[in-house]
Structures are given as C-alpha cells and as structure tokens.
Amino acid sequence: MPNEENIVPYQFQSGNEAREAGAVGGKASGAARRRKRSLKDAADLYLSLPVSDRRRWNKIARRGIDPEDVDNQMAMIIGLTEAATQGDAKAAKVIVDLLGDTANNSGGAIEDDPITKSLKETIDAVTETDQNT
C-alpha cells in the first residue's frame, strides 16, 4: 500500500522500476478509457432505441415526427424544447449548446446563425434576471 514512507519518485527509481510503474499506470488508464467508452456506447444504444411507452410515442408522432425517427433521443429533445418554451433557462441553454455544436460541425460559427444568437441573448438575459433575484 503506497504511503509517504514507501513512495519513491521516478528520478530515484531504477529504469526497470519506472518502466513497470508506467506500464501499470498505462494499463489502468486504458481500462478507464474503455469503461468510459462503453458507458458512452450504452447511452448511444439506449437513446437510439424506439420509445417504449405507447402514449409518449403517439404524442411524438402527432407532432409530425416521422415514425422511424421516434426514439428516446427525439423524446429527450422534445422534452427539452417543451421545458425551454415554458421558461426553463437551463433547458434552453442545453438546446443552444446543441445547436452551437451542430453549427460548428457544419463549418459555420454559432454567432453567424441569427436564431441561435437571439436565443442565446434571451437566455443570457433570463439567467441574469434569475441571478439578480
């Protein structure tokens, strides 16, 4: 068990000891990266599954969403949009951030999109108002 008495800095270890310690750290780092990637893959898988609740599926389909696109990710976006339109500044900020990522991926800057810029200004104003109260 490492503690102050038995930890030896790398500069005082032999080459083999430093190499072995680095290999152990590298293996632990790789395991953590794989765990994180598998968690992301699981989230992607779940969000791509169709909506299982029939009432929610019907509610989404009535909005004109193509039945092939009715999945958990779409349900989440609709929920965020509903919350934002009812005044939830945090939900609106999430949507603006998502739109910003899309704009940046397509080559355009978020500031170039007038709708996104207007939304961002409104959210900033609401956030400032919330902080002042």
Side-chain angles (χ1 to χ4, degrees):
M1 189 73 173
N3 60 39
E4 294 295 322
E5 297 170 5
N6 63 6
I7 294 179
V8 179
Y10 282 116
Q11 64 260 27
F12 298 117
Q13 292 179 353
S14 71
N16 287 337
E17 288 175 335
R19 193 172 14 264
E20 288 172 9
V24 169
K27 290 175 185 173
S29 173
R33 246 189 344 268
R34 283 189 296 278
R35 231 183 358 264
K36 186 176 179 181
R37 185 176 53 236
S38 77
L39 185 61
K40 182 177 185 268
D41 291 343
D44 286 341
L45 173 66
Y46 181 75
L47 288 174
S48 68
L49 292 175
V51 174
S52 58
D53 182 18
R54 186 54 58 184
R55 282 188 224 169
R56 187 179 304 161
W57 191 95
N58 288 333
K59 183 178 178 184
I60 294 170
R62 278 193 305 264
R63 291 175 177 257
I65 304 297
D66 187 15
E68 293 177 3
D69 293 334
V70 178
D71 59 5
N72 288 317
Q73 185 172 359
M74 182 61 69
M76 188 175 72
I77 295 298
I78 290 171
L80 280 170
T81 304
E82 287 176 351
T85 56
Q86 292 174 1
D88 185 346
K90 289 181 182 180
K93 176 144 178 48
V94 169
I95 291 171
V96 168
D97 289 345
L98 287 171
L99 290 173
D101 288 346
T102 303
N104 289 338
N105 290 340
S106 65
I110 189 169
E111 292 82 17
D112 294 341
D113 183 17
I115 296 171
T116 305
K117 186 175 182 181
S118 173
L119 278 172
K120 185 172 177 7
E121 290 170 355
T122 304
I123 291 167
D124 289 342
V126 169
T127 306
E128 288 175 13
T129 304
D130 288 346
Q131 291 174 352
N132 292 336
T133 56

